[in-house]
């Protein structure tokens, strides 16, 4: 291995460490606790080293969002692949989405609530974000109904899931009614 290759590998390892540490800190204490100073202390590198990887917290949030979008797409695809039939797939998708939001609140916020400097719904949208949407579209496109654009249907269904996730987490909706809401969403919105 050349010196250049070794340096590149070390750089990538530091970057992964920064992202993992930011994510862990955000999940435990919230994004307000994630500062470049705290990250530098936790990873035992100087702030200038951290800034050589990311220009600031915004880019770190963006990196967490991209990593999280990849994980969410994998979770949705795994859940829908194991389901039999359109109704079961849509229900599995909804549960996987809400479970991801519940178990990864800081990552979910990085993807959907915080400014990570990422483009959404544009040509220059990063591939992990496009793929996360594609994971939803793969399942939901088949239940959009006649004459309904699959992408628009996916957006509306996703918006409903996001609303459920966000409102439940904020204590605006009682969590004990989550299954009833999911059933209503699946049975009334999707054409099954």
């Amino acid at each position: 291995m050349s010196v250049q290759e070794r340096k590149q590998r070390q750089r990538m390892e530091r970057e992964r460490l920064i992202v993992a540490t930011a994510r862990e800190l955000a999940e435990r204490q919230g994004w307000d606790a994630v500062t470049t100073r705290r990250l530098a202390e936790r990873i035992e590198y100087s702030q200038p080293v951290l800034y050589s990887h990311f220009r600031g917290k915004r880019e770190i949030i963006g990196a967490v969002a991209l990593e999280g979008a990849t994980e969410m797409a994998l979770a949705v695809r795994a859940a829908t692949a194991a389901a039999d039939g359109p109704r079961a797939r849509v229900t599995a998708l909804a549960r996987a989405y809400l479970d991801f939001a519940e178990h990864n609140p800081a990552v979910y916020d990085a993807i959907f609530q915080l400014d990570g400097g990422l483009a959404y719904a544009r040509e220059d949208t990063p591939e992990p974000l496009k793929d996360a949407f594609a994971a939803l579209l793969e399942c939901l496109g088949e239940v959009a109904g006649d004459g309904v654009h699959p992408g628009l249907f996916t957006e509306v269904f996703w918006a409903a899931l996001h609303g459920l996730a966000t409102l439940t987490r904020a204590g605006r909706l009682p969590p004990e009614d989550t299954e009833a809401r999911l059933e209503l969403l699946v049975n009334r919105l999707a054409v099954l």
Side-chain angles (χ1 to χ4, degrees):
M1 176 181 297
S2 72
V3 172
Q4 183 65 23
E5 289 171 328
R6 183 177 49 77
K7 284 184 178 184
Q8 181 62 23
R9 187 183 70 203
Q10 289 172 338
R11 179 173 176 73
M12 291 176 73
E13 288 172 4
R14 269 194 316 269
E15 194 166 298
R16 280 192 294 270
L17 177 62
I18 293 166
V19 171
T21 304
R23 185 175 171 162
E24 177 189 342
L25 188 57
E27 290 293 0
R28 288 182 185 206
Q29 299 177 28
W31 278 104
D32 287 342
V34 179
T35 65
T36 54
R37 173 189 273 172
R38 288 182 89 183
L39 285 174
E41 288 171 3
R42 286 195 176 216
I43 64 172
E44 298 178 346
Y45 283 101
S46 67
Q47 282 183 291
V49 168
L50 195 139
Y51 283 116
S52 74
H53 291 274
F54 299 99
R55 286 183 285 196
K57 182 176 176 176
R58 181 179 187 218
E59 283 189 5
I60 294 168
I61 290 169
V64 169
L66 294 177
E67 188 176 273
T70 298
E71 293 170 8
M72 187 178 74
L74 288 170
V76 165
R77 285 189 175 110
T80 58
D84 186 31
R87 180 182 308 280
R89 279 191 292 280
V90 173
T91 301
L93 176 145
R95 281 194 182 109
Y97 185 95
L98 293 177
D99 285 348
F100 182 87
E102 179 184 354
H103 294 104
N104 305 282
V107 173
Y108 189 83
D109 285 349
I111 300 169
F112 298 116
Q113 303 286 95
L114 302 174
D115 179 10
L118 303 173
Y120 286 80
R122 297 190 336 216
E123 285 295 318
D124 59 338
T125 298
E127 198 54 43
L129 298 177
K130 288 179 181 179
D131 189 53
F133 184 77
L136 301 175
L137 180 61
E138 289 161 11
C139 175
L140 295 171
E142 71 178 304
V143 298
D146 292 336
V148 177
H149 188 282
L152 292 176
F153 177 78
T154 300
E155 290 172 353
V156 171
F157 199 94
W158 168 34
L161 286 174
H162 176 69
L164 290 175
T166 303
L167 292 169
T168 301
R169 200 169 112 208
R172 303 296 197 275
L173 296 175
E176 62 271 11
D177 293 329
T178 297
E179 279 302 311
R181 286 187 203 96
L182 276 181
E183 187 176 321
L184 184 62
L185 180 63
V186 170
N187 291 328
R188 297 295 181 164
L189 196 54
V191 177
L192 300 168

